[in-house]
Amino acid sequence: MNQPAFPRADGHIIADDGDQLHFCSTCAFSQACLSEGMDKRALNDLHVLVEHVGPLHAGDHVFREGDRFEAIAAVRAGTVKTYVIDPDGREHVLGFHLPGEVIGLSAIDGEHYPCNAVALDTVMLCRFSFPKMAVLAAKLPGLQKHLFRLLSRDIGRAALLAGDWSADRRMAAFLIAFSQRLAARGFSPNRFQLTMARTDIANYLRLAPETVSRVLRRFQQDGFLVVDRREVELVGREHLEELAGPVLRQ
Amino acid sequence: MNQPAFPRADGHIIADDGDQLHFCSTCAFSQACLSEGMDKRALNDLHVLVEHVGPLHAGDHVFREGDRFEAIAAVRAGTVKTYVIDPDGREHVLGFHLPGEVIGLSAIDGEHYPCNAVALDTVMLCRFSFPKMAVLAAKLPGLQKHLFRLLSRDIGRAALLAGDWSADRRMAAFLIAFSQRLAARGFSPNRFQLTMARTDIANYLRLAPETVSRVLRRFQQDGFLVVDRREVELVGREHLEELAGPVLRQ
DNA sequence: CGAACACTTGACAGCCCTCAACGTGAGTGG
DNA sequence: CCACTCACGTTGAGGGCTGTCAAGTGTTCG
């Protein structure tokens, strides 16, 4: 029996709400814990740490730069953008976080969050006190290993888009990576909604919004992509993958 | 009594060699362990994991992309460069690792190292089996916490140079960050040797080698810097820090 | 001493940013 | 229902930063 803890977010990507005895199926931790053969008691230890948060609405902040770091959170539904504002007032987008992904990891080293996290649409979160989770990780090798891997993965991910790639390659890499992450959660890989504004994509890819617009138009003219406002369809996926290959190292 | 396990690397930055009972004073782990009040037995547990490696010479690889991941390593002396080669044969430098810093963390998520690591000069390492270290981390909360922080720190560091900064800002940020890291290990902050080639700096900063050369020349003309081959002196440190500020978020 | 390599310097071009104007769609209030 | 507003997105013109290409200089090492 599934007893939602919060109202369902209409029209937004969400898998399930979990309940008192089960984790959300898309939870960043459930897989790790189940596959590591945790016993029921151990699983329950982790489960009681979960604090469901939400729904947050577009523009609501999950945390702000400088807030005291206490918890990491797994996105359960919606999209979260992490960003910083530089001294000139320019926004730098650090990442977009989809259901099943974890935010707040970069705050572990320090007392405070080093960036802002804002909901781009209706967002539901599973919040975990990090100190408590660390204590539990010492008792559950599977959980510890999973945390290490999550952290390690983000190091590699951050290095990805850091290369000096052309606007075309960066845009293609963004689309392919977004598609792959959606597919991993069971959503359609070739037709999906971009939940963020062009400006956000631009600030993430280190491009001007105008350049994002122009590249998307050219992709469409060349027949790789169909764009309708924020909805995209990857028609010529092979070509996009070829462009993205060097960036994503695939 | 200090009984070196390996010949000292002449002329290269090195603090001490550690011995059977003590860690190297610059070791990435010793601080954490000591400050967490580990008992002697615990400290010894960690100590027996250490495997001293070296000396490696310029051009020797610590590991190569695709090698099976087994261990992380703390640099004890010298400089290690991590890099990947893209399909077009271009080299992308992911980072430079100075004494006291740890390499291999990005490999934790996966069976194999995702990049190459090569010695730029004479390098000494302390090698730690990661599986064994993880087991120990479950017993030593201080060690676990330290590992989490090391990983978290690298996420933030990777995001730093990812921004779209001018060549001047990137170069200044590189110099200031390098200086700060040297200073943290007790070396001179304002006069030091760049242990890597201009091309390496360029591949790290996503610039052409010619641009690196031109920016350094201009910095010198403007009186912020004195450059003699690979030796640099930060004369106008304030101005460099001002340039680097937005990049380093300081 | 010669060769290979690292580095520097200059000329030129191209990618992408900036600036500006316009189009478009969603939400709002009359 | 419609006009209005405003944010978002698109399109065009022009320029600047930095990459590319080429040549020359300096240094190291066999």
Side-chain angles (χ1 to χ4, degrees), chain A residues 17 43 60-61 63 77 84 94 99 109 133 138 195 206 212 241:
Chain A
D17 286 344
L43 211 56
D60 292 347
H61 275 75
F63 53 77
V84 294
L94 304 179
D109 175 48
M133 198 165 201
T195 43
R206 309 191 307 270
V212 170
E241 282 173 343

Side-chain angles (χ1 to χ4, degrees), chain B:
Chain B
M1 293 281 284
N2 225 16
Q3 189 173 3
F6 296 95
R8 195 173 291 273
D10 292 325
H12 287 93
I13 41 181
I14 183 170
D16 69 82
D17 287 344
D19 59 22
Q20 293 300 103
L21 296 174
H22 300 90
F23 287 94
C24 331
S25 64
T26 55
C27 173
F29 297 103
S30 62
Q31 292 178 325
C33 305
L34 295 173
S35 65
E36 291 293 332
M38 279 187 196
D39 59 45
K40 283 188 178 177
R41 182 130 140 240
L43 211 58
N44 194 55
D45 285 346
L46 178 58
H47 200 185
V48 296
L49 286 187
V50 180
E51 180 190 343
H52 282 184
V53 177
L56 302 175
H57 301 102
D60 292 347
H61 275 75
V62 181
F63 51 76
R64 288 177 187 275
E65 183 178 351
D67 284 355
R68 182 160 198 84
F69 169 67
E70 288 165 352
I72 60 176
V75 178
R76 190 148 57 101
T79 313
V80 174
K81 173 181 79 171
T82 48
Y83 70 98
V84 294
I85 304 291
D86 74 21
D88 298 332
R90 293 190 306 173
E91 177 176 314
H92 297 251
V93 174
L94 304 179
F96 301 104
H97 305 266
L98 302 179
E101 299 175 347
V102 177
I103 59 175
L105 294 176
S106 66
I108 291 172
D109 176 49
E111 300 284 306
H112 304 275
Y113 290 100
C115 63
N116 305 278
V118 65
L120 292 183
D121 47 16
T122 302
V123 165
M124 316 274 263
L125 299 172
C126 293
R127 192 174 179 277
F128 296 82
S129 155
F130 188 74
K132 289 181 184 171
M133 197 165 201
V135 170
L136 191 57
K139 288 192 289 184
L140 305 177
L143 178 58
Q144 188 198 57
K145 183 178 176 185
H146 190 62
L147 280 170
F148 282 144
R149 293 176 80 111
L150 277 177
L151 281 155
S152 175
R153 194 176 309 161
D154 269 18
I155 297 176
R157 186 169 293 170
L160 270 189
L161 284 167
D164 63 333
W165 310 104
S166 70
D168 283 22
R169 283 201 193 278
R170 280 218 281 279
M171 192 70 224
F174 172 73
L175 291 170
I176 292 297
F178 202 79
S179 160
Q180 289 173 343
R181 288 155 70 194
L182 286 173
R185 311 300 172 186
F187 302 105
S188 167
N190 287 325
R191 187 186 181 88
F192 49 86
Q193 289 273 339
L194 297 174
T195 42
M196 69 293 295
R198 296 284 192 274
T199 304
D200 290 331
I201 300 176
N203 289 340
Y204 177 60
L205 298 178
R206 309 191 308 270
L207 297 171
E210 295 92 331
T211 303
V212 170
S213 192
R214 277 187 261 263
V215 171
L216 287 178
R217 173 167 55 93
R218 192 153 27 75
F219 279 178
Q220 180 153 5
Q221 284 174 350
D222 294 347
F224 313 142
L225 199 66
V226 176
V227 188
D228 176 29
R229 311 176 47 67
R230 292 194 181 174
E231 183 163 329
V232 299
E233 184 175 359
L234 311 188
V235 182
R237 194 189 170 92
E238 306 72 24
H239 190 263
L240 289 173
E241 282 173 342
E242 195 180 323
L243 270 176
V247 183
L248 302 179
R249 302 191 59 67
Q250 293 174 161

Side-chain angles (χ1 to χ4, degrees), chain A residues 166-167 206-208 210-211 214 229:
Chain A
S166 70
R206 309 191 307 270
L207 298 170
E210 295 92 332
T211 303
R214 278 186 259 263
R229 311 175 49 68

Side-chain angles (χ1 to χ4, degrees), chain A residues 11 57 73 100 227:
Chain A
H57 301 101
V227 188

